[in-house]
Protein backbone atom coordinates (compact mmCIF):
# COMPACT_ATOMS: atom_id res chain seq x y z
CA UNK A 1 0.00 0.00 0.00
CA UNK A 2 1.32 3.46 -0.90
CA UNK A 3 0.69 6.88 0.64
CA UNK A 4 1.93 10.45 0.18
CA UNK A 5 3.52 12.13 3.20
CA UNK A 6 5.15 15.59 3.26
CA UNK A 7 8.82 15.67 4.29
CA UNK A 8 11.25 18.51 5.00
CA UNK A 9 13.92 17.86 2.38
CA UNK A 10 14.68 15.98 -0.83
CA UNK A 11 14.98 12.25 -0.28
CA UNK A 12 14.11 12.56 3.41
CA UNK A 13 12.16 9.78 5.08
CA UNK A 14 11.19 11.95 8.07
CA UNK A 15 7.58 13.18 7.92
CA UNK A 16 6.69 16.78 8.78
CA UNK A 17 4.03 17.41 11.38
CA UNK A 18 1.03 19.01 9.76
CA UNK A 19 -2.62 18.68 8.91
CA UNK A 20 -3.83 15.73 6.91
CA UNK A 21 -4.76 16.81 3.38
CA UNK A 22 -5.83 13.46 2.07
CA UNK A 23 -7.81 10.33 2.60
CA UNK A 24 -6.49 6.97 3.67
CA UNK A 25 -9.13 5.24 1.56
CA UNK A 26 -7.52 2.95 -1.01
CA UNK A 27 -7.74 4.39 -4.50
CA UNK A 28 -8.80 7.83 -3.23
CA UNK A 29 -7.58 10.76 -5.32
CA UNK A 30 -6.26 13.70 -3.30
CA UNK A 31 -6.13 17.28 -4.53
CA UNK A 32 -4.12 20.06 -2.91
CA UNK A 33 -3.92 23.71 -3.98
CA UNK A 34 -0.64 25.34 -3.03
CA UNK A 35 -1.13 28.87 -1.67
CA UNK A 36 2.50 29.92 -1.30
CA UNK A 37 5.69 29.65 -3.29
CA UNK A 38 8.35 27.21 -2.14
CA UNK A 39 9.73 23.73 -2.52
CA UNK A 40 7.72 20.88 -1.07
CA UNK A 41 8.94 17.31 -0.68
CA UNK A 42 6.93 14.11 -0.32
CA UNK A 43 7.44 10.39 0.14
CA UNK A 44 5.66 7.08 0.32
CA UNK A 45 6.15 6.18 3.99
CA UNK A 46 6.39 2.39 3.53
CA UNK A 47 8.72 2.65 0.50
CA UNK A 48 10.85 5.73 1.18
CA UNK A 49 13.87 3.50 1.81
CA UNK A 50 13.45 2.24 -1.78
CA UNK A 51 13.66 5.82 -3.05
CA UNK A 52 9.93 6.53 -3.49
CA UNK A 53 10.18 10.31 -2.98
CA UNK A 54 9.26 13.42 -4.95
CA UNK A 55 9.45 17.21 -5.14
CA UNK A 56 6.97 19.96 -5.99
CA UNK A 57 8.42 23.38 -6.86
CA UNK A 58 5.82 26.15 -6.52
CA UNK A 59 6.75 29.46 -8.16
CA UNK A 60 5.08 32.83 -7.56
CA UNK A 61 2.29 33.67 -9.98
CA UNK A 62 3.25 36.50 -12.35
CA UNK A 63 -0.32 37.40 -13.33
CA UNK A 64 -3.72 36.58 -11.98
CA UNK A 65 -4.73 33.27 -13.47
CA UNK A 66 -8.26 32.40 -14.51
CA UNK A 67 -10.00 29.67 -12.54
CA UNK A 68 -7.68 26.69 -12.76
CA UNK A 69 -8.81 23.36 -14.13
CA UNK A 70 -9.53 20.68 -11.53
CA UNK A 71 -5.91 19.48 -11.73
CA UNK A 72 -2.96 21.39 -13.11
CA UNK A 73 -0.65 18.43 -12.53
CA UNK A 74 -1.50 14.82 -11.76
CA UNK A 75 0.94 12.59 -9.88
CA UNK A 76 0.29 8.85 -10.13
CA UNK A 77 1.90 5.79 -8.59
CA UNK A 78 3.56 3.10 -10.64
CA UNK A 79 5.20 0.22 -8.80
CA UNK A 80 7.41 1.89 -6.20
CA UNK A 81 7.61 5.29 -7.90
CA UNK A 82 5.63 8.50 -8.25
CA UNK A 83 5.12 9.67 -11.83
CA UNK A 84 6.26 12.34 -12.25
CA UNK A 85 8.33 12.46 -9.08
CA UNK A 86 9.22 16.14 -9.51
CA UNK A 87 6.93 18.94 -10.74
CA UNK A 88 6.96 22.75 -10.90
CA UNK A 89 3.75 24.77 -10.53
CA UNK A 90 2.76 28.34 -9.66
CA UNK A 91 0.98 29.50 -6.51
CA UNK A 92 -2.73 28.73 -6.74
CA UNK A 93 -2.30 25.69 -8.96
CA UNK A 94 -3.51 22.27 -7.88
CA UNK A 95 -1.65 18.98 -7.71
CA UNK A 96 -3.78 15.83 -7.81
CA UNK A 97 -2.39 12.58 -6.47
CA UNK A 98 -4.11 9.70 -8.28
CA UNK A 99 -3.13 6.31 -6.93
CA UNK A 100 -3.26 3.22 -9.08
CA UNK A 101 -4.23 -0.31 -8.12
CA UNK A 102 -4.32 -0.81 -4.36
CA UNK A 103 -2.67 2.51 -3.50
CA UNK A 104 -3.89 5.28 -1.24
CA UNK A 105 -2.74 8.88 -0.75
CA UNK A 106 -2.34 10.61 2.61
CA UNK A 107 -0.34 13.45 4.14
CA UNK A 108 0.65 13.19 7.78
Amino acid sequence: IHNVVQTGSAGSCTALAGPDFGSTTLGQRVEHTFTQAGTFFFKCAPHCGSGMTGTIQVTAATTAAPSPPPCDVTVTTSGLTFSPNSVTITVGQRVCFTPGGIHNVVQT
Side-chain angles (χ1 to χ4, degrees), residues 38-102:
T39 302
F40 302 87
F41 307 98
F42 58 95
K43 69 172 182 173
C44 171
H47 301 108
C48 188
S50 297
M52 194 169 180
T53 62
T55 305
I56 298 171
Q57 180 68 44
V58 182
T59 59
T62 55
T63 60
S67 294
C71 298
D72 296 290
V73 176
T74 299
V75 177
T76 62
T77 56
S78 176
L80 296 178
T81 61
F82 291 106
S83 181
N85 71 349
S86 182
V87 298
T88 299
I89 61 171
T90 58
V91 169
Q93 287 188 304
R94 182 176 299 200
V95 173
C96 297
F97 294 94
T98 304
I102 60 167

